[in-house]
Amino acid sequence: MRKDIRTVTVGVDGSRAGLDAADWAAREAERRRLTLRLLHAGGEPTASVPAPGSGLGPTPVPGAAPGSVPRTRARGARIRPSPERPAVPARELQRGILDRAAVRLSYAHPTLQIAARRTDTPALPALLEAATESETVVLGSRGFSGYTGFLVGSVALAVAADAACPVVLVRAGELPPDERVPDERVPADTGDDTTSPARTPYLPVVLGLDLEEPADELIGYAFDAAGVRAAPLHVVHAWTLPPLREGAGGAGTPGDTAAQQDARERFLAAVLGPWRHKFPQTEVSEEVVYGHAGHHLLKASTRAGLLVVGRSVAGAGLGRAAHSLVHRSTCPVAVVPHD
């Protein structure tokens, strides 16, 4: 990870999901003692939109009672344009979105350094460019209706699949208590904040690790994330036997499963050994499981505050497991590029 870049960048667009992502990014920047950069990208500077609070909406039908819901006009009725309908250039509207987000976050995080940037460059290239200047890029997503997972847009997926730095996808509705261990021992009205959500321990960071590609960038990010949270790190490695072929034997036979399980457990312990030494305060647990990685990591994410997965820069896109996880995880997902 590039230590000369001291910025967490978050894409903001004025949506609820974008604000939730900005809240998460602010907490992450504060934990890591980095500058938070708010980025609003895209939009035509010559476009205009109705001014917020202008009172626009369905035009009341003459004779309607004050405060009543307007009736639908008869088909063919002439609608006159209102001369009092102000318009705000898109550039000014975007600046207002950034200003409101910056003020909101500065009140919540008074010691955090916050910078704001607006660009007319479309969102995807602007975010990919920002990734070359950031330690982390954070993006929001819409939550499934009635479900706590993701519904990730094409821009967020494209950024996660091609960014030069780790990209964290934050589900809509993510709140500060969601990343901490629930504590219901002290009633909220006691006045004792020693076990408030801001003081309870963080939930574990879960790392999905492929032992074919145990990249330092990926492992280092997970240990850093756990370290700044004083959270435990749970490392999950999932594996399966290759498909049987006629006449093949040895390592691909079902009878060898126990031996391979033992070998992988020993290899995982060896890979993590130097990192345990580098982060002696971090509690680390290891799990080697048989089956598909996506299934086991999705299950682990239900008990995690952050899920960390890798993306090979030599590969094409996110890969099947990571793609599934960013759509369905119940906690924020960090996608870390590695060689």
Side-chain angles (χ1 to χ4, degrees), residues 239-265:
W239 67 282
T240 59
L241 289 170
L244 288 175
R245 293 175 296 177
E246 186 176 354
T253 60
D256 200 36
T257 301
Q260 289 205 38
Q261 174 79 11
D262 180 67
R264 289 172 183 270
E265 289 175 354

Side-chain angles (χ1 to χ4, degrees), residues 124-136:
L124 178 56
L127 289 165
L128 290 176
E129 179 184 359
T132 66
E133 307 167 348
S134 307
E135 284 200 2
T136 305

